[in-house]
Amino acid sequence: MSRVVVVVGASSGIGRATARAFAERGDRLVLAARATTTLAEVRAECADVDVLTVPTDATEPNALDDLAEAALDRFGQIDVWVHTAAVMAYGRFDELPERVFDQVVRTDLLGAAGSVRVALRHFRVAGAGTVILTGSVLGHITAPYMSAYVTSKWGLQGLARTVQQELRDSPEIRLCLVNPGSVDTPVYQQAANYLGRFGRPPVPVASPQRVARAIVDCVDRPRREVSVGRLNVLLRAGFTVLPGVYDVLVGPLMRAAGLSGRSVAAHDGSVFAPNPVGEAVRGGHLPDLRQLVFGPVGAVGAALRRRLG
């Protein structure tokens, strides 16, 4: 029999790709996100399976409990709970409005914690189940101008590790953390921005479908942590082994590869409310080969010259 899979954050990016991937397997789906109109679109994309859509803001009190109850009322069980919901904000920490910083952390960390809490409550009763969280390589390293997102992902890393330790006495209940690097999703365009320049995913950029495959694979082959991204290991090694060098290079690299040349006025993006117009699986981030080769190289060279001279 097919599994019942809850996907929180199913309206865009990795979550939307994940919903499609589970639908291709024939699993029954409970799709949750803030935007009702976009959820209807995703439901149509997964029309070959039984789908329940539940408009849900993971930061609202009792919203995730209500989501679980809706899933149980419809299907009688929950086998897999996937949390992909996330928002992002760009800006120097001291220039980012406190309300924006707090809401990013509330969504990306506390919302995920709420999903884990609700899912485990039901899996403890059932005796089995899989929770899958979407973290980031930024849960192991840092990058300037993304303080709220980095704080959330470091917190999520700690939460996952702690819960995994607490589940050692329940081998049929698994928590998996999937950590992608740069991914071609709309989250960068949808981000709040108080930096004055649009953000973008630094190359190399993975597809959301690749991350979705890793998430689906965790159901069949549960692992504590899965990394998706060719440079993730290198970045983590540099951050840990050569912190001084990392700190010299990360700013210039971020400005060259993680920010575009397009200026933008300060705005809150989708941090407080969804923007259905901007929601899709992919973000359209096709790397410029000249920027790929010469931008980061020039930035690194300039940083080293300043360091040495």
Side-chain angles (χ1 to χ4, degrees):
M1 179 177 290
S2 65
R3 297 179 176 92
V4 176
V5 181
V6 176
V7 182
V8 182
S11 61
S12 193
I14 293 170
R16 192 163 181 166
T18 297
R20 292 179 178 180
F22 278 114
E24 290 172 0
R25 288 165 44 112
D27 291 319
R28 292 167 288 171
L29 300 177
V30 181
L31 304 181
R34 294 178 296 176
T36 303
T37 54
T38 314
L39 277 178
E41 295 174 5
V42 183
R43 179 174 184 168
E45 295 167 1
C46 303
D48 292 337
V49 298
D50 196 353
V51 180
L52 172 67
T53 58
V54 184
T56 303
D57 184 338
T59 67
E60 291 295 325
N62 303 316
L64 294 169
D65 287 301
D66 293 343
L67 172 62
E69 290 304 318
L72 293 170
D73 287 345
R74 175 66 171 269
F75 297 115
Q77 66 189 68
I78 300 171
D79 302 299
V80 180
W81 190 295
V82 182
H83 189 97
T84 68
V87 293
M88 189 181 288
Y90 288 95
R92 295 180 184 274
F93 172 71
D94 56 314
E95 296 174 354
L96 191 66
E98 181 179 347
R99 60 185 179 80
V100 174
F101 182 97
D102 290 355
Q103 185 66 16
V104 172
V105 174
R106 189 174 295 116
T107 301
D108 296 2
L109 176 55
L110 300 184
S115 271
V116 174
R117 185 179 298 112
V118 171
L120 290 184
R121 186 179 303 142
H122 293 279
F123 292 161
R124 291 285 192 189
V125 174
T130 303
V131 185
I132 304 173
L133 300 177
T134 307
S136 170
V137 68
L138 289 173
H140 289 286
I141 65 173
T142 59
Y145 318 126
M146 302 180 70
S147 57
Y149 189 79
V150 170
T151 297
S152 300
K153 295 305 182 181
W154 276 70
L156 191 61
Q157 190 75 31
L159 172 68
R161 185 68 178 268
T162 301
V163 174
Q164 287 166 347
Q165 292 165 353
E166 293 174 354
L167 288 174
R168 288 180 62 84
D169 61 349
S170 304
E172 297 304 313
I173 303 176
R174 288 75 58 97
L175 186 147
C176 308
L177 181 63
V178 176
N179 285 331
S182 295
V183 184
D184 180 22
T185 78
V187 70
Y188 306 91
Q189 298 100 307
Q190 300 272 62
N193 199 305
Y194 287 83
L195 191 61
R197 291 172 61 186
F198 275 106
R200 63 185 176 190
V203 293
V205 181
S207 71
Q209 289 86 351
R210 182 182 173 193
V211 183
R213 288 193 296 270
I215 290 172
V216 171
D217 188 55
C218 282
V219 178
D220 298 321
R221 297 191 306 126
R223 283 153 290 167
R224 294 163 61 88
E225 183 175 340
V226 179
S227 179
V228 182
R230 292 193 298 274
L231 290 184
N232 288 8
V233 173
L234 179 62
L235 291 170
R236 290 175 60 175
F239 181 84
T240 303
V241 178
L242 299 169
V245 175
Y246 180 95
D247 287 351
V248 169
L249 299 182
V250 68
L253 283 171
M254 180 64 180
R255 290 187 288 273
L259 300 173
S260 76
R262 293 189 299 151
S263 61
V264 57
H267 65 89
D268 289 344
S270 63
V271 169
F272 294 97
N275 174 28
V277 174
E279 293 182 330
V281 173
R282 287 180 176 265
H285 299 284
L286 299 176
D288 181 329
L289 292 181
R290 285 182 57 84
Q291 177 66 18
L292 169 60
V293 175
F294 297 112
V297 170
V300 170
L304 289 175
R305 286 194 297 274
R306 288 195 297 271
R307 178 77 170 183
L308 298 174

